[in-house]
Amino acid sequence: MRQDRIARLRQLLETRELDAVLLAGSASLRYFCGFSGSDGALMVSADAVIFLTDSRYTSQAGQEVVADHIRQYSGKVEGIAGLIGEQGWHRVGFEAEAISFALAQRLQGQAPQECDWQPLGQEVQALRQRKDAEEIRIMAAAARLAGDAFEEIRPTIRPGVTERELALALEFAMKRRGAEDKSFDFIVASGERGALPHGVASQRRLAAGELVTFDFGARWQGYCSDETVTLALGEVPAQLEEVYHVVLAARRLALEQVRPGVALRELDRVARDHIAASGYGPFFGHGLGHGVGLEVHEQPLVSGRSEAVAEIDMVFTIEPGIYLPGAGGVRIEDTIQVTADGYRRLTCLPKEYSVLPV
C-alpha cells in the first residue's frame, strides 16, 4: 500500500521535473509513511524515502514509519537543509499548504544556494482523493461510531438543555466508543442560530417549536467522519418544515446523479437548481460538499467552481442547506463513496423529517 502511494508521488516528481519533494503536513506524513506524531518531515526522491524527526519521536517513528531511512535532527531546518546538500538535490518541491512562509524562508536560507524551491499546491492532496479499501473500511467505522454516539444522546435533546451541553455529551459518547478525537468543533445550532452554517455550539438553550442542527464527526485511526442532521423539537412553523423537505429533496436529487464520470459541479447544480426553484436560492450560499479523509475538508471540492469529475472510490460529502436569517435553518449531510454503479453511503443516520417529543 505504501509503495503504491510513493509510486504515485514519484510520478508527480517526474511531471514537475523535481529531484525531491518535502512533505511536512500531518495528513501527508501519515498517508505516505505512516507517522502519526506531530512533528517530522518526509523527503522523497526517485530512489530514496527518508523520514526526519527529533528525539521526541525517534522511537515512535521506528515503530510506525515505512521509509528507507529514519534520521534524527536536533534542528528541523538544519536537518532538512543538510540532507538536501548531502544528496545534491537542486530542484525541490515542498508542500506549500503545510509549510509556513517563515519556515520556507528559513529553509531557503540554510539550503545550498543553487537549490530551486518549487511550491506544490493541491497536487499532493489530490493524490489522496481516491481511497483504498482499508481507508474506506476505517472511514465507515468512524461514521458508525459517530452515528451510534449520536443515537445515545438523542433522548437528551430537549428544551432547556444548552447547545454546548449536547456537544460535550456527544464528544464524550464518541470517545467512550473509542474515537481518538472529534473531527472538528461540533456545530449545534438551534432556533435562529440554525441560520449560521458554522454555528459552533453556544450556551443558548433549546426551546420547543424550533429546529436544531448537529454537524459532527469522529476521528478514528486518523480518519474523519462528517455528518449533519437537523431535527424538530415538537411542532415547528410551517415554513421551517417546508424548508426541511426542500433540502431533503435537493440531497436526494444530487445523490441520484452520483456515478463515475459525472462532473462534481453538476451535482452542485442539481441541488442548487431545486432549492432555487423552490424559492430559497439566495439562502444556500456554500458549496454542496467536500472530500473527507485524513482531513475533514480535503479534495475533491463539490461546488459550482469544481473542475473535478467523480471517480470510483472518491469519498465526499453531499450537504445542501437553507439558512433563513432570524428564523432558522436546515442542513442535511451524508458522506458517500463513489462506486462503479453509483454511490455507497458511509454515514448511517436516517435523514427523514424527525420530530422529537417535548
Side-chain angles (χ1 to χ4, degrees):
M1 186 184 302
R2 301 287 179 202
Q3 290 176 345
D4 176 67
R5 295 174 182 182
I6 293 296
R8 286 187 280 117
L9 185 59
R10 282 174 168 152
Q11 289 176 355
L12 178 60
L13 296 184
E14 185 175 345
T15 300
R16 293 291 301 268
E17 299 181 339
L18 301 171
D19 294 326
V21 62
L22 167 63
L23 304 177
S26 58
S28 290
L29 295 182
R30 186 147 190 172
Y31 185 77
F32 288 106
C33 72
F35 182 65
S36 66
S38 62
D39 193 20
L42 186 69
M43 297 214 66
V44 178
S45 69
D47 55 8
V49 179
I50 303 171
F51 180 76
L52 306 93
T53 191
D54 61 41
S55 60
R56 297 172 298 165
Y57 294 109
T58 305
S59 295
Q60 180 178 343
Q63 297 170 2
E64 294 180 339
V65 169
V66 178
D68 298 324
H69 305 285
I70 297 175
R71 295 174 53 145
Q72 180 178 310
Y73 52 65
S74 56
K76 188 171 188 174
V77 171
E78 294 76 12
I80 294 170
L83 176 61
I84 291 170
E86 173 189 312
Q87 295 292 323
W89 294 327
H90 298 295
R91 187 173 166 86
V92 177
F94 67 97
E95 194 177 11
E97 294 184 357
I99 295 175
S100 70
F101 180 72
L103 178 57
Q105 282 193 313
R106 291 172 60 204
L107 285 168
Q108 290 173 343
Q110 289 283 337
Q113 288 187 353
E114 63 271 19
C115 184
D116 178 14
W117 291 88
Q118 293 292 313
L120 299 176
Q122 296 184 338
E123 301 105 312
V124 175
Q125 193 185 105
L127 298 176
R128 307 200 316 264
Q129 65 183 356
R130 290 186 66 179
K131 273 49 178 183
D132 60 42
E134 179 65 5
E135 290 179 289
I136 290 170
R137 182 192 68 79
I138 293 170
M139 294 181 68
R144 286 194 301 273
L145 185 157
D148 288 347
F150 184 81
E151 292 291 14
E152 177 186 323
I153 69 131
R154 184 190 287 264
T156 69
I157 304 170
R158 60 184 185 272
V161 67
T162 69
E163 295 171 349
R164 181 162 174 76
E165 286 168 343
L166 291 170
L168 289 171
L170 181 54
E171 181 178 352
F172 293 156
M174 285 182 183
K175 289 184 175 178
R176 283 196 299 270
R177 285 169 167 76
E180 296 167 350
D181 203 350
K182 55 188 178 181
S183 297
F184 52 91
D185 287 338
F186 296 160
I187 293 168
V188 183
S190 60
E192 69 280 358
R193 292 192 73 252
L196 303 174
H198 279 190
V200 175
S202 74
Q203 293 295 343
R204 185 187 186 278
R205 295 187 182 277
L206 277 60
E210 63 186 24
L211 297 175
V212 56
T213 295
F214 293 81
D215 189 344
F216 59 97
R219 186 181 297 275
W220 190 67
Q221 293 190 19
Y223 285 81
C224 300
S225 75
D226 192 5
E227 185 166 13
T228 304
V229 296
T230 300
L231 305 170
L233 279 177
E235 184 177 352
V236 303
Q239 185 185 30
L240 291 179
E241 184 173 348
E242 175 192 51
V243 162
Y244 190 96
H245 290 291
V246 170
V247 174
L248 187 64
R251 164 188 171 272
R252 174 182 56 80
L253 291 168
L255 288 173
E256 288 175 351
Q257 297 300 312
V258 176
R259 62 187 183 280
V262 69
L264 298 188
R265 63 176 175 269
E266 177 67 10
L267 304 182
D268 182 277
R269 184 195 65 76
V270 167
R272 199 169 301 279
D273 283 356
H274 176 74
I275 290 173
S278 301
Y280 295 102
F283 305 104
F284 177 30
H286 58 73
L288 183 66
H290 56 84
V292 183
L294 286 165
E295 298 175 290
V296 75
H297 289 93
E298 57 180 50
Q299 288 194 48
L301 179 68
V302 186
S303 82
R305 303 189 307 275
S306 179
E307 298 296 326
V309 299
E311 299 179 43
I312 293 175
D313 294 333
M314 277 184 172
V315 174
F316 52 78
T317 67
I318 297 291
E319 49 180 303
I322 294 174
Y323 312 93
L324 303 178
V330 174
R331 183 166 63 256
I332 304 171
E333 176 187 23
D334 280 303
T335 299
I336 65 167
Q337 168 199 359
V338 180
T339 63
D341 56 358
Y343 70 93
R344 170 195 174 201
R345 197 160 67 102
L346 300 184
T347 42
C348 47
L349 291 174
K351 298 303 189 298
E352 293 76 17
Y353 186 66
S354 179
V355 180
L356 299 177
V358 295

